[in-house]
Amino acid sequence: MVKLIALDVDGTLVKKKNLVSKKNINAINEARKKGVKICIATGRNITRAVKVAKAIGIDLAHEYVITLNGGATYKYDGLATPKLIEEHLFEMDDFKTIYDKAKQYRLSTFSYAEDPNVSYVVKKNFFTYVLKKVSGRKLIKYNRDEIDGKSYKIIIYGNKKGIAKIKEDLKPKGYEMFSWSYVPHSSNIEVNPKGVDKLYALQKVAANYGIDSKDIMFFGDGDNDIKAIKWVGHGIAMGNSKKDLKEIASGSTKTNKRHGVGHYIIKELLKSAK
C-alpha cells in the first residue's frame, strides 16, 4: 500500500516554464485525499522549489520538501511556511579541495552557498551566468585565502576529459556525485558532501512519518534519483529517463511533458485503491 509519494522536480514533475500540469496536480490531490503523503525531492534550493511545492499543495498539507539533493530538508508549518529541519554543508577543507581541483583541470564551478544570495565560481563564463540568472545569486570569484562561506552543493562543468579526471580524484573522498549533462562534448556533475543525497533525506522523512520503504513511491528521471528509486517499493522512471535508470526501476510512465506523474498515479494507484 502506497503511503508516501516522493517526486523529483525537473524532468519529472514540471514541464517547460517551471509549470506543473493540471493532470499532475489533480492526481496528486486525489492521492492525498486517500491519505497518501506527498514529498518533493529535488536538486533545487528552497527558493526555486517553493512555487512547485505550493502548486501541489505541500504548503497547506504541511509536508516535506527535500532540496539540494538532500543538502537541506524543510517541512511546512501551520502558517504554510517552509521551516528548515536539517542541513548538511561542505567543510571548508573539502570545498577548497574541490575548487582547487577544478582550477587545475580548467573546469567551471557554481556553488549553492549557505548565503542564498551568492555563488562561488572558479571563473565567470556563459555557464556561470546562466546559473546566475536562474538562481539569482551574485557570482564571487574563488580565492582560496579569502573564502569564508560554506556551501550545500557544487556544480562542475567542462569538457568530458576534465570531468573524468576530477571525478577520479574526488572519488576517494566519498563525495556524492551525480551526472546531469545532456550537452554534446561537455559534461556536468553535481557534488554533495559524503553521505548526503536524496535517499538519505528521504529515509529521514519516511522515519518521521513511520512509513516503510515498501510503501513509498518515488518518481525520477536522473542520476541523482537512482539510489532512492532502488530503495523504495515503487520506483518509477519517467519516459524521458536514461536507460540505466529505467533498468533498475520497478515501473515506468510517460514523459514529464506528457504528464507522466499524473498518468501513473491515476492508472496504477488511484484505480487500485478503489
Side-chain angles (χ1 to χ4, degrees):
M1 179 180 178
V2 175
K3 298 179 181 179
L4 170 64
I5 297 175
L7 301 155
D8 171 48
V9 173
D10 295 293
T12 299
L13 184 58
V14 302
K15 50 182 182 178
K16 288 184 178 180
K17 297 182 180 179
N18 197 32
L19 298 176
V20 184
S21 71
K22 289 184 178 180
K23 183 169 183 176
N24 285 349
I25 292 172
N26 291 339
I28 289 167
N29 286 334
E30 287 301 312
R32 190 182 279 119
K33 287 178 183 178
K34 294 183 180 296
V36 178
K37 301 293 185 182
I38 308 298
C39 171
I40 282 177
T42 179
R44 297 184 180 193
N45 65 355
I46 190 62
T47 303
R48 295 192 60 237
V50 164
K51 182 178 179 180
V52 176
K54 289 183 177 180
I56 61 174
I58 281 182
D59 55 335
L60 300 180
H62 310 149
E63 294 165 329
Y64 290 89
V65 178
I66 295 167
T67 67
L68 299 161
N69 295 327
T73 300
Y74 298 79
K75 188 177 189 296
Y76 275 85
D77 63 14
L79 299 175
T81 301
K83 295 295 183 182
L84 180 67
I85 61 171
E86 186 171 350
E87 65 179 351
H88 302 274
L89 298 102
F90 280 105
E91 295 297 329
M92 193 57 67
D93 286 345
D94 290 317
F95 183 90
K96 290 180 178 180
T97 293
I98 295 169
Y99 269 61
D100 289 345
K101 286 292 182 180
K103 286 185 70 175
Q104 178 183 345
Y105 296 126
R106 299 181 179 180
L107 300 170
S108 298
T109 59
F110 187 95
S111 72
Y112 281 81
E114 186 174 21
D115 181 345
N117 299 308
V118 304
S119 174
Y120 299 100
V121 301
V122 168
K123 54 187 176 182
K124 298 179 181 180
N125 53 23
F126 179 74
F127 169 74
T128 56
Y129 278 112
V130 168
L131 290 182
K132 173 186 176 182
K133 185 176 180 180
V134 171
S135 67
R137 292 170 180 259
K138 177 184 177 182
L139 302 181
I140 298 178
K141 196 166 183 180
Y142 170 67
N143 184 315
R144 197 177 204 283
D145 298 324
E146 296 179 4
I147 186 78
D148 60 0
K150 290 187 175 182
S151 295
Y152 294 99
K153 77 168 185 176
I154 300 163
I155 297 177
I156 306 174
Y157 170 88
N159 64 78
K160 291 182 178 181
K161 187 176 181 179
I163 291 294
K165 286 181 177 179
I166 198 169
K167 285 175 70 175
E168 189 64 27
D169 287 355
L170 297 181
K171 191 174 181 179
K173 297 288 186 178
Y175 306 136
E176 304 300 329
M177 293 184 281
F178 313 104
S179 173
W180 58 277
S181 176
Y182 296 89
V183 183
H185 311 301
S186 64
S187 186
N188 305 338
I189 55 170
E190 294 179 298
V191 187
N192 275 66
K194 183 178 181 179
V196 178
D197 56 19
K198 290 185 182 182
L199 173 57
Y200 168 84
L202 181 60
Q203 289 174 329
K204 288 294 190 75
V205 170
N208 290 342
Y209 279 133
I211 296 175
D212 191 271
S213 62
K214 72 178 187 302
D215 297 321
I216 301 174
M217 180 176 286
F218 188 102
F219 289 87
D221 76 307
D223 192 43
N224 58 351
D225 300 316
I226 290 178
K227 288 184 179 180
I229 282 179
K230 283 183 176 179
W231 180 70
V232 301
H234 310 269
I236 313 304
M238 300 302 294
N240 46 287
S241 303
K242 287 188 175 181
K243 183 179 179 180
D244 58 344
L245 189 144
K246 291 179 179 178
E247 288 176 347
I248 60 95
S250 58
S252 62
T253 187
K254 295 181 179 181
T255 67
N256 62 316
K257 294 180 181 179
R258 297 182 64 196
H259 329 288
V261 168
H263 172 80
Y264 194 90
I265 291 175
I266 293 169
K267 181 182 177 183
E268 303 293 340
L269 180 59
L270 297 181
K271 286 187 177 181
S272 64
K274 291 182 179 180

